[in-house]
C-alpha cells in the first residue's frame, strides 16, 4: 500500500471559497451511500479524511483535499438520498454548476457507483454534467466484494451501456479491502497528465 499525503484544503459553500491552486482537480460524485467517502479514504489510505456513513446527503459543501502535493480531490455532496432534505442530481448539478462550468483545473470526474445497482437517472445526469464540462469520466464500481466475479463483470458491462461510457473507463473497487485502488490511481494519473484542451 502506497503512502499518500492528504489534507483538507478547505470546505466551500460558494465560488469565493474555492481554494486558489493550480493543481489538477478530480471531482468525486455519487449517490448517497454508494461508497464515496469510503473510496476516497481507501485511495489515500486514511481512515477518516472523508467522512463515511452516518448522515448521508446532508452536506451541501464541496470539500477540497490536496493529495501528495500534486492533485486535488473534490468531494461533492451525495445526491439522490430518498429520506431527507436532499436533492436529485439535477438540482444538485445546478447547485454545483458553477464549479463544473468555471473550475479551470478540473480535469476528471470519478462517478461512484454501487456495483450491485443499475445507474439511475441521477447517475446518468452526472455523467452528462461531466461530459458537458469536458471531463474524463471514470466510474468506480464499489462494493465489488459483494458480488461474484461473473455477476460483477456482467453488471459492469450493462452499466457501461446505460451510462454510455466504455467498460475500460470502469474500475471495480472493494474499498474496505483496499482492492482496486492501484487501478483507480492509474486512471486518475492518466487523467491529470492529459492536458484538457
Ligand atoms: N462491502 C463493502 N462495503 C462498502 C464498500 N464501500 C463502502 N461500503 C459501505 O457502504 C456504506 C456507505 O459508504 P459511504 O462511504 O459512507 O458512502 P457515501 O454516502 O457514498 O459516502 C458504509 O456502510 C460502508 O462501509 C465496499 O467496497 N465494500
Ligand atoms: Mg459520504
Amino acid at each position: 500500500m502506497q503512502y499518500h499525503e492528504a489534507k483538507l484544503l478547505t470546505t466551500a459553500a460558494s465560488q469565493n471559497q474555492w481554494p486558489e491552486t493550480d493543481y489538477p482537480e478530480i471531482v468525486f460524485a455519487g449517490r448517497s451511500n454508494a461508497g464515496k467517502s469510503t473510496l476516497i479514504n481507501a485511495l489515500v489510505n486514511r481512515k477518516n479524511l472523508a467522512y463515511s456513513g452516518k448522515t448521508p446527503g446532508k452536506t451541501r459543501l464541496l470539500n477540497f483535499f490536496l493529495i501528495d502535493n500534486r492533485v486535488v480531490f473534490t468531494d461533492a455532496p451525495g445526491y439522490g438520498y430518498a429520506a431527507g432534505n436532499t436533492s436529485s442530481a439535477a438540482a444538485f448539478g445546478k447547485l454545483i454548476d458553477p464549479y463544473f462550468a468555471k473550475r479551470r483545473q478540473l480535469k476528471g470526474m470519478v462517478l461512484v457507483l454501487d456495483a450491485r445497482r443499475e445507474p439511475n437517472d441521477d447517475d446518468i445526469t452526472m455523467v452528462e454534467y461531466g461530459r458537458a464540462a469536458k471531463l474524463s469520466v471514470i466510474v468506480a464500481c464499489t462494493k465489488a466484494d459483494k458480488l461474484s466475479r461473473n455477476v460483477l463483470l456482467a453488471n459492469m458491462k450493462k452499466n457501461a451501456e446505460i451510462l454510455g461510457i466504455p467498460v475500460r473507463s470502469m474500475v471495480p473497487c472493494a474499498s474496505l479491502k483496499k482492492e482496486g485502488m492501484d487501478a483507480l490511481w492509474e486512471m486518475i494519473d492518466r487523467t491529470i497528465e492529459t492536458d484538457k484542451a
Side-chain angles (χ1 to χ4, degrees), residues 36-38 51-53 56 75:
K36 181 164 58 68
S37 302
T38 309
Y51 294 110
S52 52
D75 187 9

Side-chain angles (χ1 to χ4, degrees), residues 31-38 52-53 143 145-146 173-176:
R31 250 187 281 173
S32 295
N33 211 41
K36 181 164 58 68
S37 302
T38 309
S52 52
K143 314 191 190 184
D145 52 298
K146 296 199 173 196
C173 295
S175 308
L176 297 175

